[in-house]
Structures are given as C-alpha cells and as structure tokens.
Amino acid sequence: QDGPQRKKRKSEVGEVDKQLDILAIGTAVGSILLYSTVKGELQSKLDGGHDSRVNCVRWHQDNCCLYSCSEDKHIVEWNTQTCKVKCKWKGDNSSVTCLCISPDGKMLLSAGRTIKLWDLETKEVYRHFTGHATSVSSLMFTTVKPMNESIPFDGITGLYFLSGAIHDRLLSVWYIRSDRKEKNAVMSFAVTDEPIFVDLTVSEVKEEPVKLAVVCRDGQLHLFEHILNGYCKKPLTSNCTIQIATPGNDGDSTPKPVPILAAAFCTDKQSLLLVYGNTSQPVIEKVSLNTSEPHICLVRDIQKVLSLKTDAALTKVKTPVVNSDTKVLVPGIPGHSTAVKTPASGKEKKKNKRKPGETEESIEERLGALDIDVSKVKTPGGLPQTDSLAVLLVQGLESNDAEILNKVLNTRKENIVKNTVARMPIYAVIPLLHELTKRLQGNPYSASLMVRWLKSVFTLHASYLSTLPDLIPQLGMLYQLMESRVKTLQKLSRLHGRLFILASQVAASEAVQDVPEVNQTAKLVYEDESSEEEGSDDEMIADKDSDENWDEDEEKEEQSDEQDMTVEKEINGDSDLEPENESEEE
C-alpha cells in the first residue's frame, strides 16, 4: 500500500483501539503480527525488535503498549500506534520465556529459569526469585491487594504471583516482600503431569480464596481453591479433578479418554469454559462446577461431533481399486525409464509361486524381468560410489557406528571425499564436524586424513554454516584445536630444520668412513734363488755407477766456479792478459 493511505490506517487504529479486539501473535522469526478479530484481517506488523523466536506477548493496561520476550534474551516494549520499538533491554543470560504485567501496570515479571521483577520506569531489577529448574511457561498475579491491610500499599509489595514450568509437576506461589531476604516459593500446587494451560480467579478481598484451573499434558483438569495466607510447607493437592471420556457404546464397549486442551473461568467465577477433543476441531463447552466431589468424569460422545476419525485410518489398510484401463509403473532406479506394464492378473500370481522342486530365480533374472539393465545396477570394479558413501556416512553418524565411520572416513581419494560431502544432507554437516573434531584429537595419522574431509566441508557448506546462530560454540573445540596445532608449527619447523642438518652431517661423515683404505703391503713377492756371487757383482756395478757419478759431479762444480770468476772479472773491468794464457789455463 501507498504511504499516505497506510498512515491514515495507523491513526484509525489508535482511535478505535479500545473498541477493537486485537490479537498480538509472536512468530518464530521474531516479528509480531497484530490481527483484528473484528475486521478479520491483519492490522499491522511489528518488526526490528527481536532476532529470534518470540516466546511471549503481553498487552499493557495502556492500549498502545505491548511487551514481548524472545529467545534472543531481550525484552521489548512496543508502541503499537507507530509500530516501533519504544525500549529494548536484556532480560536474562539465557532465553526469556514468559512475561506478566503487575495489576497497577508499573512492574513487569519476566522469567527464563529464574524470575525477575522489573521496574518499568527505570528498567531495573526490583526483585529476584529462585524460579524453576526448567524454563518457566506461565506467570500470573493471584492477588490485586495485599492480605495485610494495615501496611500501606505501594502497588507491588504484599502481592502473590504464580509460576509453572515445563516438565515440572509443581506450580509455585511467590510472595513479594518489602525486603530482599526471602527468594523461595511460599507454597506450591501439585498436579499429575506438566501444566500446559493455567487460569485463575484473582482474589480481591482477604477472605476470598483463589480458584485455580490447571490443564495437564495427560488431558486432565485440576481445580484448586485456597486462601493465600502465608507459608505452606507441603504441596497442596487438587480439590477436584475433571476428565472427559466417550460413552463406550456403538460396538466399542471400552470408553476412551478425551483430552482437555484448555479451561477458563467465566465472569461469575462459578462456571468453566472447557475446550476438549482434537486440536484441529476442538469442542468448547460451558460447565457449572460442583467441587464437593473429588473426581468428575464427563461423558461426551465426541465421535458424533467430530468428522475426523483417526482410529479407522490407523487400523484398516485400504487397497486401491485398479481399473483395467490404468497402467502401473514398476518401481525402478531413480532417473531410469522403466517399461510400463499392466498389473499382473491372479493367474500369473499363482504361476510365480515357487514349487518345492524348482530352483529360485537369481537377482539378475528378476532384474531382467523388470527390464532393467543389469550393467547399470552394478558399480564398475565393485567399488562403492559417492552416493552410497554419503548414505553410509549419514547412517554411521546417526547410529554412531565406529565401523561404518572408519570405512567411510579412511577414504584417501580427494574427488571421492569432495563428492561425498557434496551429496550429504544439510542436517548431517554439524554431526560430521563433531566427529571429525573428535578424530583430530587422536592419532596423527588419522588426523591427516580428517583434514581432507574438513577442507571439503568448509569449502562446500560454508554458506550453510554461516547461517547458524550458534556456530561459535559448535566449532569452538575445533578452533582451539587448530589454534594449538598452529602455535607449535613454528617450533616444530625449526626443530625439523635442525634435525635435517644433523642427519645430513651424520650421513656425510658415514659416507666418508665407508671409503675402503688402500692396502700398502704387496700382495705378491717373488724371490729368485740367487747366489752370493751375483749379489757381489750387483754391489760392484752399483759402486762403479756411484764413482762415475761422483767424477761427473766434480767436473760440473769446477765449470761452475770458473764461470763465476769470469763474471766477477767482467764486472770489475779486468780482462785476462793473453789468449795464450787462457788456452793454457783451459
């Protein structure tokens, strides 16, 4: 719609808000829808307040004000006239599941597991209460005024309120004191199962008892009537229990219980509106109370009222009527075009039955009868394909079967790993990451294989993982593991370098030592049978040689001396007297 028209519509809502019955509906995505029951259409939509599922919505006494709480731990105050957030604050460390506004409209009760009472002006916690072990599902004030009228009333002190939680069979009553000492419940009401719907009549006078109607998950309604006058140690049991059952005739003699879905007190506080039967088509009935009897069983023939019969559908199997014109497709492999055959007649069925003497047909023959090519069914080489590995992996993760997981995760081929991860269903990604994290902490050999799977998961499913709100706690262990491994990588690489140098030096020294030494001793010595004479002749020859050598040496020395003398004379400028004398000297 256009802008001006929409503005007009909003102002219209503000004017006639008091006359209209508007339903505020919280959604799982965090938005709140305002639905007009009078007009039968959506009035407006409140966005931008919550990031997660809305758990509870409460109207304030001021018609334009609405409070909501969510899984995102926040409480939001809305202005329904402008459809904008007036105030937003953190209500708890975990999700806030329930809200309740005080009778004077100045205080707000909120609960996750613990219960907090907030001052709506300052948005600060006024009181803390212990709460329940599980998430609180219902909160409501049981009194409007304090029982002790002598104390001046400030609007909240002296009031009682009631709380119920999921999987808790006790409804607790709390008392708001002026001091902060007492944080525990003053009394409790015991029921047979988890309460799913609670309604009560508010006590306005001191002597007036509080009437409480609690519908449990087992389909029973418990009625309590009690005057709130302080502490009570033992849990109070119900004054009256109401059940509804079928009459048990029309062929079925056993009466069957009919679950009560909800109950609410009428304005006269003496009669109840009961909602029972099936959630898709419930029956609403007004019942006057008679609490003198502890157990009341109302007989209602619900089968005549309800058109939906579930028992018949569950017990009887209907066979479809097949005409001769219709053709039935034989089941085959997905994507394979099987031949269309007409349904087999009764005679053929009799023929198919095997007689004691006959041999059973092989699977290949049966597949041939179905016109399916056997070669397409068989995998080449008998190796498992990636689609079957993906199915195996999912089965192993769901059943936590170590044998199946080992078979799949020990695959070494990159393309098989990649295809298997690609064909996995989305919901199996987080369980696979947890399994890989567990295996990474073990044997280093298996860790090297797991890294391939991790790489494929992060590559192919990064977009899905980025959409998860709790991704950080899910992958926290894996991140810490990788961080610790990476920290030691630098030290390990240094150690690896040093060890490599040492190993290469040791190998080099061993190679040098391995070179064989040259043996200096003669391998063969030949000795001739010589006489002493031959030996003396050798000695004589040796002496002769030495004498000749000696003479030659002397001549060489003389020549060198003469040459030196002539050089000196030439330097001094002297010359020999006569060539004759020279020749003589020569």
Side-chain angles (χ1 to χ4, degrees):
Q1 291 184 359
D2 299 330
Q5 197 175 354
R6 190 165 181 181
K7 280 181 187 173
K8 186 181 174 184
R9 190 173 177 186
K10 281 182 187 173
S11 59
E12 200 179 292
V13 171
E15 288 166 12
V16 285
D17 234 353
K18 291 175 183 176
Q19 288 82 29
L20 291 178
D21 291 331
I22 296 180
L23 278 175
I25 306 164
T27 63
V29 294
S31 58
I32 297 168
L33 309 175
L34 299 182
Y35 186 84
S36 171
T37 54
V38 174
K39 293 182 178 179
E41 61 182 17
L42 191 66
Q43 195 83 17
S44 51
K45 187 178 179 182
L46 308 179
D47 272 327
H50 294 295
D51 303 328
S52 188
R53 171 194 172 95
V54 177
N55 288 326
C56 186
V57 177
R58 288 283 179 267
W59 285 102
H60 195 265
Q61 283 84 330
D62 175 14
N63 286 324
C64 295
C65 192
L66 180 75
Y67 289 90
S68 63
C69 64
S70 168
E71 294 282 331
D72 64 4
K73 310 174 188 178
H74 287 82
I75 301 168
V76 176
E77 182 181 356
W78 299 89
N79 185 341
T80 54
Q81 204 166 359
T82 60
C83 294
K84 288 183 180 178
V85 176
K86 277 175 74 176
C87 185
K88 180 179 178 179
W89 71 96
K90 189 175 180 181
D92 209 328
N93 290 328
S94 58
S95 60
V96 186
T97 54
C98 202
L99 295 175
C100 181
I101 295 163
S102 65
D104 64 348
K106 293 180 181 177
M107 295 282 182
L108 175 74
L109 280 171
S110 76
R113 287 191 175 92
T114 58
I115 302 169
K116 294 177 183 178
L117 182 65
W118 300 85
D119 187 343
L120 287 177
E121 284 186 14
T122 59
K123 305 294 186 291
E124 291 178 356
V125 178
Y126 181 72
R127 290 283 184 275
H128 273 281
F129 299 94
T130 311
H132 296 260
T134 52
S135 300
V136 175
S137 57
S138 54
L139 274 176
M140 49 188 68
F141 279 90
T142 56
T143 52
V144 178
K145 295 177 183 177
M147 296 300 167
N148 190 355
E149 293 175 356
S150 61
I151 302 170
F153 183 48
D154 61 355
I156 194 71
T157 307
L159 296 186
Y160 289 89
F161 68 89
L162 180 88
S163 70
I166 58 170
H167 311 306
D168 194 345
R169 294 192 296 110
L170 288 177
L171 290 158
S172 302
V173 177
W174 312 81
Y175 180 61
I176 301 167
R177 298 174 181 273
S178 56
D179 56 1
R180 294 171 179 263
K181 290 180 182 177
E182 189 62 48
K183 294 182 180 180
N184 296 328
V186 291
M187 66 179 71
S188 56
F189 298 105
V191 290
T192 54
D193 203 348
E194 175 192 338
I196 57 169
F197 196 92
V198 182
D199 192 44
L200 52 82
T201 62
V202 177
S203 172
E204 296 176 358
V205 193
K206 185 178 179 182
E207 290 78 18
E208 185 185 0
V210 172
K211 290 181 179 179
L212 184 67
V214 184
V215 178
C216 297
R217 196 168 286 283
D218 57 6
Q220 296 186 49
L221 169 64
H222 299 278
L223 297 174
F224 298 87
E225 194 170 332
H226 187 73
I227 297 171
L228 302 174
N229 54 1
Y231 186 76
C232 183
K233 191 175 182 181
K234 289 185 179 179
L236 301 170
T237 53
S238 60
N239 298 49
C240 178
T241 304
I242 298 175
Q243 289 176 283
I244 300 176
T246 56
N249 47 19
D250 296 335
D252 190 3
S253 57
T254 56
K256 293 179 181 178
V258 177
I260 299 172
L261 306 174
F265 285 100
C266 298
T267 49
D268 60 354
K269 297 187 180 181
Q270 295 300 319
S271 52
L272 270 173
L273 276 176
L274 292 182
V275 183
Y276 59 88
N278 199 305
T279 48
S280 60
Q281 197 177 355
V283 180
I284 301 173
E285 183 183 339
K286 189 174 181 179
V287 180
S288 58
L289 299 177
N290 181 14
T291 53
S292 59
E293 295 179 20
H295 295 283
I296 299 172
C297 185
L298 304 173
V299 178
R300 299 287 182 271
D301 193 1
I302 199 165
Q303 293 295 340
K304 289 181 180 177
V305 181
L306 290 180
S307 59
L308 187 69
K309 292 188 179 182
T310 53
D311 294 340
L314 290 170
T315 53
K316 293 178 183 177
V317 179
K318 292 183 179 179
T319 52
V321 180
V322 183
N323 297 327
S324 58
D325 301 334
T326 58
K327 292 181 179 181
V328 181
L329 293 176
V330 181
I333 300 168
H336 176 78
S337 55
T338 56
V340 178
K341 291 191 174 184
T342 54
S345 62
K347 290 180 182 178
E348 285 178 355
K349 282 183 182 175
K350 287 180 183 177
K351 285 180 184 176
N352 287 340
K353 287 184 179 178
R354 188 164 56 93
K355 292 176 183 177
E358 290 179 359
T359 56
E360 193 177 354
E361 286 184 344
S362 66
I363 293 172
E364 194 168 348
E365 288 171 0
R366 289 179 191 176
L367 291 174
L370 291 173
D371 287 346
I372 295 174
D373 189 3
V374 184
S375 62
K376 289 184 181 179
V377 180
K378 290 181 180 177
T379 55
L383 292 170
Q385 298 301 297
T386 49
D387 50 356
S388 62
L389 274 179
V391 173
L392 269 178
L393 182 58
V394 173
Q395 286 176 354
L397 290 169
E398 285 177 353
S399 62
N400 205 10
D401 192 330
E403 193 176 341
I404 295 174
L405 290 171
N406 288 337
K407 185 177 180 183
V408 177
L409 294 176
N410 288 340
T411 309
R412 293 169 175 275
K413 293 183 179 179
E414 289 282 346
N415 58 340
I416 291 180
V417 171
K418 204 173 283 184
N419 291 337
T420 305
V421 171
R423 295 182 188 191
M424 274 176 63
I426 288 292
Y427 63 83
V429 172
I430 291 293
L432 176 60
L433 281 176
H434 289 323
E435 182 64 31
L436 293 174
T437 307
K438 200 195 306 178
R439 287 168 179 260
L440 274 170
Q441 295 169 1
N443 192 355
Y445 172 73
S446 67
S448 64
L449 291 173
M450 296 311 114
V451 169
R452 298 178 186 181
W453 286 90
L454 264 181
K455 183 182 173 184
S456 298
V457 170
F458 286 136
T459 309
L460 296 166
H461 296 290
S463 55
Y464 164 68
L465 291 170
S466 62
T467 60
L468 296 176
D470 57 343
L471 182 65
I472 295 168
Q474 292 274 20
L475 300 182
M477 177 74 75
L478 179 62
Y479 181 76
Q480 288 172 7
L481 186 69
M482 290 166 72
E483 194 74 17
S484 61
R485 292 270 173 106
V486 170
K487 277 182 183 175
T488 56
L489 177 64
Q490 195 173 1
K491 294 177 182 176
L492 282 172
S493 53
R494 283 179 186 169
L495 180 64
H496 178 265
R498 288 172 184 173
L499 288 173
F500 179 75
I501 291 168
L502 281 172
S504 58
Q505 286 177 352
V506 169
S509 63
E510 283 179 356
V512 170
Q513 287 173 7
D514 288 347
V515 174
E517 292 182 3
V518 179
N519 194 359
Q520 299 296 334
T521 58
K523 292 195 176 181
L524 180 67
V525 178
Y526 177 74
E527 290 181 358
D528 193 9
E529 294 178 0
S530 59
S531 60
E532 290 176 0
E533 291 175 358
E534 286 177 358
S536 62
D537 289 345
D538 290 342
E539 284 172 6
M540 283 172 70
I541 292 162
D543 290 343
K544 207 173 188 179
D545 290 342
S546 63
D547 291 343
E548 287 174 0
N549 290 339
W550 177 256
D551 293 342
E552 286 175 0
D553 290 342
E554 280 181 350
E555 285 177 2
K556 284 178 182 176
E557 283 177 4
E558 285 175 2
Q559 286 178 3
S560 64
D561 289 343
E562 286 174 1
Q563 285 175 359
D564 291 341
M565 284 173 69
T566 54
V567 169
E568 283 177 4
K569 283 178 182 179
E570 284 176 0
I571 291 166
N572 294 332
D574 299 338
S575 59
D576 291 327
L577 300 173
E578 292 172 356
E580 295 170 4
N581 294 339
E582 286 176 14
S583 61
E584 282 176 4
E585 283 175 6
E586 285 175 7

